[in-house]
Amino acid sequence: MRKTPLLLFLILTLACNVEPNQNDSNEPYFNLENQLNKEIDYLLSQRAGLGKTLISDEKEEQIQMDIKSSEEWRSQLSLFFDANIDKPGFQGSFYQESLSTLDGLNKTIYSAKSSKIPVQIFECIYTNEKLTEINIQWREKNLVFETSKKLRLFLDPESSHLIGFDVEGNEDMNLKENMFYNVHAVITY
């Protein structure tokens, strides 16, 4: 009888391993800009395109894009480039924790120490040690407006290459109506 609670405790302890870290050292954060630049090179080599569904003010629009240059890819991924947290000015600005489960899913979560930093949460999800998703929560607030965005990058679990992204945002401005938008994009090969 006594072994059951001890066994249950050990399983629960090993199933979810939480490692909080202040990350005050000079150890870099996840460098999204480098990751995106590698993906752009790959997408150009594969002559990949982009299919986007845009929803704003209850209107939906679908667009197919044939992208031929790194500048065009950078433009399409500009919000993600802006959300890179591995910048000298952000050193020591995020808490870092790692979560792992027995089923091969691991997360590294960077949480902003201050509400003044636009990127509040930056989460990397790994499946069997391969990066499969990046989730970012962005928030800016001042006297004139408040903006919140949820950005998600999806990577193929086999090849670890970009397969799509989502952007969901809300802008609340004084003297103007709120604006909600949603973008769902799929890489076409």
Side-chain angles (χ1 to χ4, degrees):
M1 288 297 236
R2 292 181 146 196
K3 291 181 182 180
T4 304
L6 179 61
L7 183 60
L8 183 60
F9 173 75
L10 285 173
I11 289 172
L12 289 175
T13 303
L14 294 174
C16 187
N17 180 17
V18 179
E19 300 172 15
N21 182 0
Q22 293 287 337
N23 203 353
D24 290 329
S25 68
N26 288 330
E27 184 179 319
Y29 299 123
F30 183 88
N31 192 319
L32 184 57
E33 183 173 355
N34 286 348
Q35 177 78 27
L36 291 174
N37 284 328
K38 289 176 190 174
E39 287 305 310
I40 288 172
D41 290 343
Y42 177 78
L43 293 169
L44 288 170
S45 75
Q46 298 299 306
R47 300 175 198 248
L50 189 64
K52 289 171 72 171
T53 302
L54 313 166
I55 301 171
S56 180
D57 299 326
E58 299 179 16
K59 296 176 188 171
E60 183 174 316
E61 180 180 357
Q62 293 189 355
I63 301 170
Q64 280 298 125
M65 304 176 76
D66 184 24
I67 300 176
K68 296 187 183 332
S69 71
S70 60
E71 292 77 21
E72 289 177 279
W73 276 114
R74 282 186 74 84
S75 174
Q76 293 301 315
L77 297 167
S78 64
L79 291 174
F80 294 95
F81 276 101
D82 292 344
N84 184 30
I85 61 171
D86 190 34
K87 299 176 182 176
F90 286 160
Q91 195 61 43
S93 298
F94 291 87
Y95 297 108
Q96 178 181 343
E97 65 180 322
S98 297
L99 306 171
S100 59
T101 61
L102 292 176
D103 63 356
L105 183 69
N106 298 305
K107 292 183 181 185
T108 301
I109 303 168
Y110 302 92
S111 304
K113 294 179 181 180
S114 167
S115 62
K116 294 179 182 179
I117 298 171
V119 176
Q120 288 294 294
I121 306 255
F122 189 103
E123 176 183 63
C124 300
I125 300 173
Y126 299 86
T127 304
N128 297 323
E129 298 186 20
K130 287 190 174 185
L131 182 63
T132 55
E133 191 172 327
I134 297 173
N135 298 319
I136 301 164
Q137 292 181 22
W138 179 291
R139 185 168 178 260
E140 287 183 287
K141 184 177 181 176
N142 62 32
L143 295 173
V144 179
F145 70 90
E146 182 174 347
T147 302
S148 63
K149 299 174 195 159
K150 290 181 183 177
L151 313 173
R152 297 174 69 195
L153 280 175
F154 303 100
L155 295 105
D156 181 69
E158 299 298 318
S159 68
S160 296
H161 288 295
L162 185 63
I163 56 174
F165 61 88
D166 288 342
V167 175
E168 184 179 305
N170 187 40
E171 293 183 4
D172 183 9
M173 297 184 76
N174 294 339
L175 305 174
K176 287 182 94 177
E177 286 188 36
N178 287 2
M179 182 175 80
F180 173 80
Y181 56 91
N182 189 321
V183 177
H184 176 72
V186 176
I187 306 298
T188 56
Y189 290 98

